[in-house]
């Protein structure tokens, strides 16, 4: 169905059908093994279809959801919208009536049999029930009837065409096949030829099997006929079964045993009695621990695993730490690398029963950061299908199949094992053609160190120290980094953290003098930082160049706000928010970054986002630990720069979150903060507090300013052009809160804002 939906010829056929009318296509693919209820529910179906349709013709939204259209902007500012089933159904039916000879719609819906109506009653607010508590055998016919009637209603509309697919359940056969009202195709009948060809070629490639007889008939012919009949058109089932048959032949199974095993296989892939479960049950008791670990590694790794990386995932932390004391930076010989690749591939094939496979090309769904241009990539380990990966992620599968492994596995957290895997690769196989780049391996190792802290509550101190020491050795001996030193540091090798290559900033920021602790701060390794600081193994004054607090208070490009726990830890151990580096303090950078990147860009919702809330918490901590409440802040504006007070900046940054704005603002006032001269008048003007409420509400969110339209005398557009309220009462409440707040701040100080042109 996805092939049909994305095939170029579909557009040609739709254009012919639509003639001169505009045609919209939308698709939904039910997936009952997916991680989210919306992948298999009626709500997910309609939300996805209507999003695709309305995204192409946004003007239809005001007709379909008139009340929502009036309110959605204020709803967007307050968080995620909740949709009831009745609202979605009525909206969808209303939307369908808009399609006629001038506007056409094509819907492609796959897997109707995987639809689940999770709500057991007719109430819209009933919670979803767990899929394992509502198996297919218990699903009621009226659940399918509900979605079926909706689709039949859609099919009756003159401007709508629908293509749906399902397994041959009786309710769908009655609706689509027997009544002869629609063109229907039984897919397993037309795919039988392709499956026959695949099975025949795959089994025929085995010389031993070709010579076997089953009674008076050639076994090959019997197997092909039997597998095609059992497959019901499911290619994935066919692949798994063919692999099982060939494995049996390689192990010396005779024809009678092969046929008995084949006929005993379940036709379902998933479920308690499905083929996946049967395959996993065949893993021997002695291999289950290792199989469980490999499955977990494949599930949790962000980048594609390779057999070589899998080799380095074996072993424990103590062995890894001990090995660093004698390590000289040498890597494995090429022949040893090939041997370990081969052994890891054999191990995976023998104990993972075909659920994981080794592919010659990386999965297109995963990012790849390996090798250099023109370099052949190493084979990667992947699940045979996304269905298998999602099914294996279910907790019920693990408790049923690997109960002992679930308990034992926690002894060495999977995130810790992934850290060890990347560290082992860096030390012993970095630079291997076709494998992961060393910088990406470092980034992955640090990422999983952070995950390990969260999952275990324990810092990987020894392992992270080992990473630091190992990279110091590599820094000294690796020709690549020797070349960087020659080009940027006049040959000096007094410090490294690899000069921040991809891990911090550009090579021009050499004055920052990054060390491993600066990387730890940016990576939110709070437990590691606390251990190093509390034991005296690292002192803040040991950091040369840029102070550590700067890395927490001022995020680098592409990074989010620091965890407040990290900021508080640094402040607790003596970091000074007023310490100046390169002309500014971390406190100034913290405020200026948020104002320049969020307020000037008119991001109203950010102050309620997790990142905005973390920023507010970090602001409170910096103020609590002595940040200067009246420091001058140079802020860029459309025509240059101007100075603002911290109070003014906080009020404007947190404008979308009045409760938190009040907390931070009053904390600054308590510490002696004040508005600069005339800033109160600027606030009143920007927030239009002295204008008629009806006029302000009418103009709210109607206009959109661009920099070209900003008057030279304005610092930036009036905020009401970018704030949205559902009614005038909400606007009045907002105004009153702001009026009360600026009144509580008391008199202004004597400082006067200054502007610089250009």
């Amino acid at each position: 169905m996805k092939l049909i939906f994305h095939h170029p010829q579909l557009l040609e056929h739709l254009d012919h059908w639509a003639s001169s009318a505009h045609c919209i296509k939308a698709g939904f693919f039910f997936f009952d093994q997916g991680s989210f209820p919306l992948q298999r529910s009626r709500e997910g179906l309609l939300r996805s279809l209507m999003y695709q349709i309305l995204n192409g013709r946004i003007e239809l939204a005001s007709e379909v959801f008139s009340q929502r259209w009036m309110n959605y902007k204020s709803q967007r500012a307050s968080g995620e919208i909740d949709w009831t089933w009745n609202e979605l159904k009525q909206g969808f039916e209303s939307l369908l009536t808009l399609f006629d000879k001038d506007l056409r719609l094509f819907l492609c819906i796959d897997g109707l049999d995987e639809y689940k109506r999770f709500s057991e009653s007719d109430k819209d607010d009933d919670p979803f029930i767990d899929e394992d508590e509502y198996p297919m055998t218990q699903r009621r016919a009226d659940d399918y009837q509900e979605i079926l009637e909706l689709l039949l209603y859609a099919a009756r509309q003159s401007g709508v065409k629908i293509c749906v697919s399902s397994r041959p359940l009786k309710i769908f056969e009655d609706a689509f096949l027997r009544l002869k009202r629609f063109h229907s195709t039984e897919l397993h009948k037309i795919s039988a030829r392709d499956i026959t060809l695949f099975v025949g070629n795959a089994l025929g490639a085995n010389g031993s099997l070709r010579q076997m007889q089953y009674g008076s008939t050639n076994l090959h012919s019997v197997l092909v006929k039997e597998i095609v009949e059992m497959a019901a058109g499911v290619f994935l089932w066919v692949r798994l079964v063919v692999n099982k048959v060939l494995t049996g032949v390689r192990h010396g199974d005779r024809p009678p045993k092969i046929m008995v095993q084949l006929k005993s296989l379940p036709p379902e892939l998933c479920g308690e009695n499905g083929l996946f479960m049967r395959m996993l049950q065949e893993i021997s008791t002695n291999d289950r621990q290792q199989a469980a670990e490999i499955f977990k590694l494949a599930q949790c790794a962000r980048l594609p695993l390779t057999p070589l990386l899998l080799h380095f995932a074996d072993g424990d932390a103590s062995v890894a730490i001990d090995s660093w004391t004698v390590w000289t930076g040498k890597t494995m010989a090429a022949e040893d690398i090939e041997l370990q690749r081969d052994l890891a591939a054999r191990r995976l094939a023998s104990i993972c029963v075909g659920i994981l496979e080794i592919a010659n090309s990386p999965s297109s769904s995963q990012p790849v950061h390996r090798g250099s241009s023109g370099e052949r990539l190493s084979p990667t380990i992947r699940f045979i299908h996304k269905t298998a990966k999602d099914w294996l992620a279910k907790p019920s599968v693990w408790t049923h199949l690997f109960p002992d492994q679930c308990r034992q596995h926690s002894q060495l957290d999977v995130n810790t094992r992934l850290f060890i895997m990347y560290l082992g690769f860096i030390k012993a196989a970095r630079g291997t053609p076709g494998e992961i780049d060393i910088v990406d391996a470092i980034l992955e190792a640090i990422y999983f160190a952070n995950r390990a802290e969260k999952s275990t509550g324990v810092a990987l101190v020894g392992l992270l120290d080992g990473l630091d020491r190992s990279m110091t050795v590599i820094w000294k001996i690796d020709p690549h980094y020797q070349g960087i030193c020659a080009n940027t540091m006049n040959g000096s090798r007094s410090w490294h953290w690899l000069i921040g290559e991809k891990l911090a900033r550009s090579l021009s920021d050499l004055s920052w003098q990054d060390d491993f602790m600066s990387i730890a701060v940016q990576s939110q390794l709070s437990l590691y930082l606390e251990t190093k600081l509390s034991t005296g193994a690292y002192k803040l004054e040991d950091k040369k160049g840029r102070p550590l607090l700067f890395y927490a208070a001022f995020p680098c490009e592409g990074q989010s706000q620091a965890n407040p726990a990290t900021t508080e830890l640094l402040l607790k151990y003596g970091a000074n928010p007023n310490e100046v580096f390169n002309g500014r303090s971390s406190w100034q950078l913290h405020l200026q970054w948020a104002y320049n990147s969020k307020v000037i860009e008119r991001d109203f919702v950010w102050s309620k986002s997790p990142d905005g809330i973390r920023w507010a918490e970090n602001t409170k901590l910096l103020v609590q630990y002595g940040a200067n409440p009246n420091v001058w802040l140079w802020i860029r504006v459309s025509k240059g720069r101007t100075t603002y007070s911290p109070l003014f900046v906080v009020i404007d940054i947190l404008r979308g979150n009045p409760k938190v704005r009040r907390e931070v603002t009053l904390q600054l006032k308590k510490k002696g903060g004040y508005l600069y001269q005339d800033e109160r008048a600027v606030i009143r003007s920007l927030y239009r507090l002295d204008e008629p409420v009806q006029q302000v509400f009418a103009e709210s969110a109607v206009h959109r300013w661009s920099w070209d339209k900003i008057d030279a005398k304005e610092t930036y557009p009036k905020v009401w052009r970018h704030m949205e309220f559902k009614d005038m009462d909400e606007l009045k409440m907002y105004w009153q809160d702001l009026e009360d707040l600026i009144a509580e701040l008391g008199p202004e100080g004597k400082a006067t804002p200054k502007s610089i042109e250009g």
Side-chain angles (χ1 to χ4, degrees):
M1 288 289 283
K2 285 188 176 179
L3 176 65
I4 293 173
F5 187 67
H6 295 292
H7 202 285
Q9 286 187 5
L10 174 64
L11 296 178
E12 298 176 9
H13 292 300
L14 291 178
D15 286 342
H16 178 74
W17 165 62
S19 185
S20 60
H22 176 68
C23 184
I24 298 173
K25 73 169 187 173
F28 186 79
F29 304 87
F30 281 105
F31 185 43
D32 67 352
Q33 298 297 316
S35 305
F36 304 101
L38 290 178
Q39 293 178 273
R40 51 197 182 273
S41 68
R42 57 186 185 176
E43 290 83 0
L45 169 69
L46 295 194
R47 286 175 65 173
S48 176
L49 291 178
M50 285 194 284
Y51 172 80
Q52 295 171 68
I53 296 168
L54 296 176
N55 193 45
R57 294 295 292 266
I58 195 66
E59 71 276 6
L60 300 179
S62 59
E63 299 183 53
V64 177
F65 298 109
S66 56
Q67 188 61 43
R68 286 282 192 181
W69 182 254
M70 293 173 61
N71 297 339
Y72 98 99
K73 291 179 179 179
S74 59
Q75 289 279 359
R76 184 183 65 184
S78 62
E80 184 177 343
I81 296 176
D82 292 323
W83 294 90
T84 66
W85 165 246
N86 284 336
E87 185 180 18
L88 289 168
K89 183 172 180 287
Q90 291 170 8
F92 185 63
E93 291 174 345
S94 174
L95 179 60
L96 292 174
T97 63
L98 302 178
F99 292 92
D100 51 23
K101 63 180 181 179
D102 297 320
L103 183 62
R104 301 297 182 92
L105 174 66
F106 171 73
L107 299 177
C108 180
I109 302 171
D110 179 46
L112 285 180
D113 55 291
E114 299 187 45
Y115 157 69
K116 290 186 179 183
R117 179 188 172 194
F118 288 90
S119 175
E120 284 283 9
S121 75
D122 293 330
K123 294 181 180 179
D124 291 314
D125 57 352
D126 280 355
F128 289 134
I129 65 171
D130 187 85
E131 58 210 81
D132 291 331
E133 298 174 7
Y134 194 33
M136 181 175 291
T137 55
Q138 297 177 16
R139 295 181 199 168
R140 300 174 300 178
D142 60 344
D143 290 350
Y144 288 125
Q145 188 65 37
E146 176 186 50
I147 204 73
L148 183 58
E149 289 176 357
L150 189 63
L151 294 177
L152 292 174
Y153 173 80
R156 289 194 292 268
Q157 306 308 309
S158 60
V160 180
K161 276 189 179 291
I162 303 180
C163 179
V164 300
S165 74
S166 168
R167 287 187 308 145
L169 300 184
K170 185 177 184 301
I171 188 171
F172 297 131
E173 288 182 336
D174 290 343
F176 298 122
L177 292 178
R178 294 174 185 166
L179 296 183
K180 307 296 183 182
R181 291 185 297 179
F182 305 100
H183 297 290
S184 303
T185 300
E186 295 178 83
L187 189 61
H188 63 277
K189 292 182 179 179
I190 64 173
S191 63
R193 181 174 176 274
D194 293 328
I195 291 178
T196 300
L197 184 63
F198 170 79
V199 176
N201 290 340
L203 297 180
N206 187 289
S208 299
L209 189 147
R210 286 199 310 270
Q211 298 175 13
M212 291 183 181
Q213 293 291 117
Y214 183 63
S216 59
T217 309
N218 181 267
L219 178 63
H220 177 270
S221 301
V222 176
L223 287 173
V224 171
K225 182 175 181 297
E226 195 74 26
I227 291 173
V228 172
E229 290 179 355
M230 294 176 66
V234 181
F235 261 101
L236 177 56
W237 187 92
V238 171
R239 283 185 61 196
L240 292 169
V241 170
V242 167
N243 288 342
K244 282 184 64 64
V245 169
L246 292 174
T247 299
V249 172
R250 286 193 295 270
H251 290 169
D253 291 349
R254 307 308 302 158
K257 183 178 180 180
I258 292 173
M259 291 304 300
V260 168
Q261 290 180 335
L262 174 62
K263 292 181 179 181
S264 71
L265 295 177
E268 296 281 346
L269 282 172
C270 304
E272 185 176 341
N273 299 310
L275 182 58
F276 287 145
M277 184 68 78
R278 175 75 67 84
M279 294 169 69
L280 291 173
Q281 287 171 339
E282 294 175 0
I283 301 175
S284 69
T285 303
N286 293 336
D287 288 335
R288 287 206 173 187
Q289 173 67 31
Q290 195 170 30
E293 292 173 354
I294 294 175
F295 286 137
K296 281 291 186 185
L297 290 169
Q299 284 176 324
C300 296
R302 297 196 301 174
L303 300 182
L305 291 181
T306 65
L308 182 59
L309 285 171
L310 183 61
H311 161 70
F312 292 110
D314 276 342
D316 57 51
S318 61
V319 173
I321 293 172
D322 290 343
S323 67
W324 287 319
T325 59
V326 296
W327 186 63
T328 61
K330 293 183 178 180
T331 56
M332 296 167 59
E335 56 269 23
D336 291 333
I337 287 176
E338 287 304 315
L339 174 63
Q340 297 306 328
R341 275 176 169 164
D342 182 63
L343 291 175
R346 289 173 180 269
R347 184 169 71 254
L348 181 132
S350 67
I351 67 175
C352 292
V353 293
I355 301 294
L356 289 173
E357 63 179 359
I358 297 177
N360 288 326
S361 60
S363 169
S364 60
S365 64
Q366 292 177 293
V368 179
H369 304 273
R370 294 184 292 131
S372 57
S373 177
E375 191 175 273
R376 190 172 73 88
L377 300 180
S378 298
T380 57
I381 297 168
R382 67 185 184 190
F383 284 91
I384 191 170
H385 194 270
K386 186 178 185 296
T387 305
K389 181 178 181 180
D390 290 336
W391 179 78
L392 194 58
K394 291 165 144 304
S396 58
V397 174
W398 282 84
T399 54
H400 180 75
L401 278 174
F402 305 115
D404 294 334
Q405 285 69 25
C406 286
R407 290 190 293 271
Q408 296 175 20
H409 199 72
S410 62
Q411 295 175 6
L412 184 57
D413 176 71
V414 64
N415 298 301
T416 305
R417 190 173 293 280
L418 284 163
F419 179 96
I420 293 173
M421 178 186 78
Y422 284 112
L423 226 297
F425 170 82
I426 290 169
K427 291 173 55 180
R430 66 186 183 280
T432 300
E435 296 287 342
I436 187 172
D437 177 77
I438 183 173
V439 172
D440 288 314
I442 295 169
L443 289 169
E444 291 303 291
I446 293 175
Y447 170 81
F448 286 109
N450 178 280
R451 293 287 300 268
E453 282 195 359
K454 295 176 180 177
S455 60
T456 66
V458 178
L460 305 185
V461 178
L463 292 170
L464 286 165
D465 285 347
L467 171 61
D468 187 19
R469 289 195 298 269
S470 297
M471 295 315 302
T472 299
V473 172
I474 293 173
W475 168 257
K476 294 177 179 178
I477 67 171
D478 193 292
H480 171 67
Y481 294 111
Q482 289 178 347
I484 290 177
C485 287
N487 293 331
T488 62
M489 300 178 63
N490 298 320
S492 171
R493 308 185 72 83
S494 59
W495 66 281
H496 75 90
W497 246 90
L498 304 178
I499 318 187
E501 189 179 34
K502 286 190 182 181
L503 299 170
R505 286 138 304 281
S506 67
L507 295 178
S508 62
D509 293 319
L510 300 180
S511 64
W512 288 23
Q513 296 281 297
D514 295 336
D515 61 6
F516 190 67
M517 291 297 282
S518 65
I519 302 299
V521 171
Q522 295 176 82
S523 304
Q524 313 294 320
L525 295 171
S526 299
L527 297 180
Y528 175 74
L529 287 165
E530 184 168 18
T531 302
K532 301 294 283 187
L533 291 171
S534 63
T535 60
Y538 187 92
K539 295 181 175 60
L540 294 181
E541 56 267 26
D542 292 342
K543 175 67 171 68
K544 298 178 181 179
R546 196 178 197 235
L548 279 187
L549 186 58
F550 279 71
Y551 297 89
F554 176 48
C556 298
E557 184 178 354
Q559 294 182 327
S560 59
Q561 274 291 311
N563 186 332
T566 302
T567 304
E568 185 172 22
L569 182 66
L570 295 172
L571 292 166
K572 174 183 170 184
Y573 281 94
N576 181 2
N578 301 310
E579 182 179 359
V580 174
F581 175 74
N582 283 353
R584 289 179 291 182
S585 68
S586 58
W587 167 238
Q588 288 173 298
L589 285 174
H590 174 74
L591 295 173
Q592 290 172 190
W593 168 83
Y595 198 87
N596 286 335
S597 63
K598 302 304 175 186
V599 173
I600 296 294
E601 294 177 6
R602 303 173 292 286
D603 190 339
F604 178 64
V605 184
W606 178 77
S607 57
K608 282 190 175 182
S609 71
D611 203 42
I613 292 171
R614 282 194 298 269
W615 181 89
E617 291 301 315
N618 283 327
T619 304
K620 292 178 185 178
L621 287 168
L622 292 166
V623 174
Q624 177 186 337
Y625 280 87
N628 183 350
N630 297 310
V631 68
W632 286 54
L633 302 173
W634 287 98
I635 303 295
R636 67 172 172 85
V637 291
S638 59
K639 302 299 180 180
R641 291 186 299 161
T642 191
T643 54
Y644 287 130
S645 68
L647 268 176
F648 178 92
V649 167
V650 166
I651 287 172
D652 224 9
I653 290 173
L654 298 176
R655 56 186 168 148
N657 198 337
K659 180 178 180 295
V660 175
R661 175 176 64 182
R662 170 172 289 273
E663 294 172 0
V664 181
T665 301
L666 294 182
Q667 183 192 23
L668 272 168
K669 176 182 180 293
K670 186 176 180 180
K671 293 288 186 178
Y674 52 79
L675 290 171
Y676 292 168
Q677 189 174 343
D678 299 328
E679 282 186 335
R680 182 177 276 102
V682 174
I683 292 173
R684 299 193 69 84
S685 173
L686 290 175
Y687 286 80
R688 305 179 71 178
L689 298 182
D690 300 313
E691 299 181 35
V693 64
Q694 294 88 348
Q695 177 183 341
V696 173
F697 179 72
E699 295 179 5
S700 173
V702 174
H703 302 290
R704 288 293 178 265
W705 287 75
S706 69
W707 287 113
D708 295 335
K709 297 179 181 179
I710 297 175
D711 187 84
K713 295 181 180 179
E714 286 191 309
T715 55
Y716 73 98
K718 292 182 183 295
V719 296
W720 291 120
R721 303 297 187 184
H722 321 293
M723 297 178 65
E724 299 138 356
F725 298 92
K726 61 183 178 183
D727 53 43
M728 281 192 287
D729 287 339
E730 187 179 58
L731 172 56
K732 289 177 182 177
M733 290 177 59
Y734 187 93
W735 268 3
Q736 188 60 54
D737 180 81
L738 184 55
E739 288 269 22
D740 294 343
L741 181 61
I742 59 177
E744 290 181 56
L745 296 180
E748 296 175 329
K750 295 182 179 180
T752 303
K754 298 179 180 179
S755 298
I756 296 178
E757 293 293 325

